[in-house]
Amino acid sequence: MTTLHNLTPQPIAFIGAGNMTQAIIKGMVAGGYPSDLIMATNPSRQKLDDLTANTGIHISQDNRAALAFAKVIVLAVKPQMLERVCAELPNEQIASCSFISIAAGVTVNRLQVMLRAPRPIVRTMPNTPSAISMGMTGLYADEDTPKALKDAAEFALNQVGEVLWVKQEDDINTVIAAAGSSPAYLFLFAEAMQAKAQALGLPTQDAKRLVGQALAGAGAMLIANPDMEFSTLRENVTSKGGTTAKAIEHFNQAQLTDIIANAMQAAVDRAVEMQSSM
Ligand SMILES: NC(=O)c1ccc[n+]([C@@H]2O[C@H](COP(=O)([O-])OP(=O)(O)OC[C@H]3O[C@@H](n4cnc5c(N)ncnc54)[C@H](OP(=O)(O)O)[C@@H]3O)[C@@H](O)[C@H]2O)c1
């Protein structure tokens, strides 16, 4: 884990001051990164005003100010905006900068084309729980990428959760299937459980509370027991012949494991399809 103890803070600028940028910057400042070394740019003013009021960072409505301020630039706009944003940045400023991208589905090669130069790039794939500092981010950089840039990326994303470096860029698609999309799989599970609890007679709020707290508690147990197999955690709550065993028998009969594998493969296939159309 990269901490402020083994990182020399350098100016860093975020292009796009949306949800992810706000979460990362608030985390960085709370973690001790000097706010006067951070800038965010955004077309609309309100988000910038709120961000500087909360953190004291520099702000601008001009993306070129980001590249004048810092040599490390975080590209944090929606993927479909990225081409236009890069096209508007001057070549001579791009030539002296390194980039961290959090745009989903945009490959390093594609970014190099958008930037019109082979600049050092770290590609990252955060997930939605980053908004509450419980994120899981996959990171990829090729072997020529300077360590200082990788450290800066790891530090920034560490402020909103855990990070995992992958060795090959294609592995980012597995990160998407396993961590980027998976909060939604759990939400689907939660919806189905809530619906059945209500059908069995519980009021809506009670059903939501029961399911939400049970799943959050189970999720916390996954993290709290890193040396335990997930299957052991399951077995520990599954008494032979009991209620849990009966429910799990139904999941197995319905081949839940295959359903999940097929769903994750569909997510990977879609990620491949989307990155080739970006
Ligand atoms: N949120 C997540 O959980 C999550 C997870 C994984 C990856 N990501 C990736 O993270 C990136 C940011 O996501 P987000 O959730 O933070 O999105 P967001 O809240 O919509 O933020 C995007 C920001 O970009 C700004 N923007 C639009 N055009 C711009 C331009 N020309 N120059 C500079 N800024 C511009 C928008 O400003 P206005 O609102 O003023 O137009 C907005 O503040 C996306 O690429 C997304 O794929 C997000």
Side-chain angles (χ1 to χ4, degrees):
M1 180 172 173
T2 303
T3 67
L4 267 188
H5 297 296
N6 48 24
L7 180 88
T8 308
Q10 304 287 343
I12 184 168
F14 292 72
I15 295 184
N19 297 320
M20 281 301 299
T21 290
Q22 291 178 38
I24 293 170
I25 290 178
K26 283 175 189 163
M28 287 175 76
V29 172
Y33 205 94
S35 56
D36 62 353
L37 292 181
I38 304 175
M39 174 180 272
T41 65
N42 202 73
S44 60
R45 188 79 207 179
Q46 192 59 50
K47 287 176 190 170
L48 293 175
D49 287 342
D50 292 346
L51 201 48
T52 194
N54 288 326
T55 62
I57 65 155
H58 299 274
I59 53 171
S60 174
Q61 286 173 280
D62 179 359
N63 292 340
R64 287 167 302 183
L67 282 75
F69 177 82
K71 298 291 169 231
V72 175
I73 306 299
V74 183
L75 298 168
V77 297
K78 290 284 185 199
Q80 60 274 20
M81 292 301 303
L82 204 51
E83 187 160 16
R84 208 182 95 195
V85 164
C86 291
E88 288 169 3
L89 300 174
N91 289 344
E92 55 281 13
Q93 282 188 313
I94 289 175
S96 63
C97 287
S98 300
F99 295 85
I100 298 166
S101 167
I102 64 169
V106 184
T107 63
V108 169
N109 264 344
R110 184 73 192 113
L111 277 165
Q112 308 273 23
V113 170
M114 289 182 189
L115 292 167
R116 310 172 296 285
R119 301 308 308 154
I121 293 174
V122 175
R123 178 180 169 193
T124 76
M125 179 65 213
N127 69 358
T128 308
S130 302
I132 55 162
S133 299
M134 289 289 288
M136 182 68 239
T137 298
L139 299 98
Y140 167 77
D142 71 26
E143 55 197 20
D144 299 328
T145 308
K147 183 175 179 308
L149 180 65
K150 292 201 274 190
D151 285 349
E154 183 170 320
F155 176 80
L157 275 310
N158 248 163
Q159 305 314 307
V160 289
E162 297 285 318
V163 300
L164 176 83
W165 286 95
V166 294
K167 287 197 169 52
Q168 314 175 80
E169 188 166 8
D170 279 353
D171 292 338
I172 285 284
N173 294 332
T174 309
V175 171
I176 291 173
S181 302
S182 61
Y185 314 160
L186 192 76
F187 298 149
L188 180 67
F189 216 86
E191 282 173 64
M193 287 173 65
Q194 181 198 338
K196 182 60 182 173
Q198 285 177 226
L200 288 168
L202 286 186
T204 306
Q205 284 312 320
D206 290 353
K208 273 184 79 175
R209 201 166 144 226
L210 274 180
V211 171
Q213 181 62 23
L215 294 183
M221 285 180 77
L222 295 175
I223 298 174
N225 298 282
D227 298 328
M228 217 181 254
E229 294 299 329
F230 295 164
S231 57
T232 307
L233 287 168
R234 171 177 52 75
E235 282 155 16
N236 286 351
V237 288
T238 312
S239 316
K240 209 162 174 229
T243 55
T244 311
K246 202 71 195 165
I248 284 180
E249 192 183 305
H250 272 265
F251 285 135
N252 287 339
Q253 276 166 4
Q255 297 184 312
L256 183 67
T257 306
D258 290 346
I259 292 172
I260 291 170
N262 291 337
M264 287 177 66
Q265 187 61 53
V268 169
D269 294 347
R270 181 66 184 138
V272 172
E273 210 172 81
M274 285 171 77
Q275 77 185 19
S276 53
S277 69
M278 278 285 174

